[in-house]
Amino acid sequence: KYMTDLGGAVDKEQALTVLKRHLSHIESGRGMVLKIIPTEGIDYFANGYDSRALSILRSGVGSVCMWKMESDGKESTEIGWGILPEFHGKGFGTKAVKALIDLARMDGKEKWGTLHASTGVSNIASNKLCKRLGFTFQTEFDMEFYGKFIKANRYELS
């Protein structure tokens, strides 16, 4: 089940809203969205991927993004990611988030400031990813996600 900790996948109308928001962030220079496409180090056949999985691998296994936002009266930068379920646990999320952090650091702290990530409390993998990459737990809070409220953990990377 995809995005169960966030209340499930969004419908087409919500997805269009998300895409428009991402495009606005990109056009204004206040965000970036990257598709995760594995290119090396994977023996697709040894891993037992079927033809559908191979097709997805070639077109992308998920995305990682970051955007400027207002949080607690201050501007901050949020990082988010999503990996298709059949590719969970294979390191794609960790590598992609690390690459995005590296890009942000190359741009400079004055552009992106402190990076944050908010993950569903029940999303064990994403919480571990944050800790693995050096994010520090800040607080648990109620996060609105497309009209639904979920328990979330907020992390910070200085």
Side-chain angles (χ1 to χ4, degrees):
K1 302 202 176 190
Y2 189 57
M3 298 175 50
T4 53
D5 65 301
L6 297 175
V10 297
D11 62 29
K12 286 182 181 181
E13 185 176 310
Q14 292 167 322
L16 183 58
T17 300
V18 171
L19 291 172
K20 286 179 181 177
R21 186 176 66 236
H22 284 323
L23 184 58
S24 170
H25 288 140
I26 293 165
E27 288 174 336
S28 69
R30 297 176 48 83
M32 62 176 79
V33 179
L34 304 172
K35 185 165 47 168
I36 303 167
I37 302 173
T39 57
E40 58 186 54
I42 298 172
D43 181 346
Y44 298 110
F45 299 103
N47 287 315
Y49 294 122
D50 61 20
S51 59
R52 178 182 175 277
L54 287 173
S55 173
I56 292 170
L57 275 168
R58 291 183 187 117
S59 63
V61 299
S63 64
V64 61
C65 54
M66 91 178 156
W67 63 97
K68 294 289 231 175
M69 60 180 283
E70 185 85 12
S71 177
D72 299 326
K74 297 184 289 186
E75 188 174 75
S76 67
T77 300
E78 185 81 9
I79 292 180
W81 58 91
I83 307 297
L84 293 171
E86 55 263 52
F87 302 103
H88 287 180
K90 301 191 184 322
F92 296 125
T94 300
K95 288 177 186 172
V97 173
K98 170 89 172 74
L100 193 61
I101 291 168
D102 290 346
L103 284 172
R105 287 184 173 151
M106 285 174 25
D107 281 345
K109 190 158 180 115
E110 60 281 349
K111 178 170 183 173
W112 298 110
T114 301
L115 303 177
H116 294 96
S118 300
T119 66
V121 169
S122 64
N123 188 333
I124 295 166
S126 287
N127 284 288
K128 284 182 179 180
L129 183 153
C130 288
K131 293 172 187 170
R132 187 179 309 118
L133 293 179
F135 283 84
T136 305
F137 174 80
Q138 298 296 300
T139 190
E140 183 178 310
F141 68 107
D142 291 321
M143 179 174 77
E144 183 178 0
F145 189 78
Y146 300 103
K148 302 169 191 165
F149 284 89
I150 62 160
K151 291 283 184 201
N153 289 328
R154 182 143 173 93
Y155 292 91
E156 181 176 293
L157 182 67
S158 298

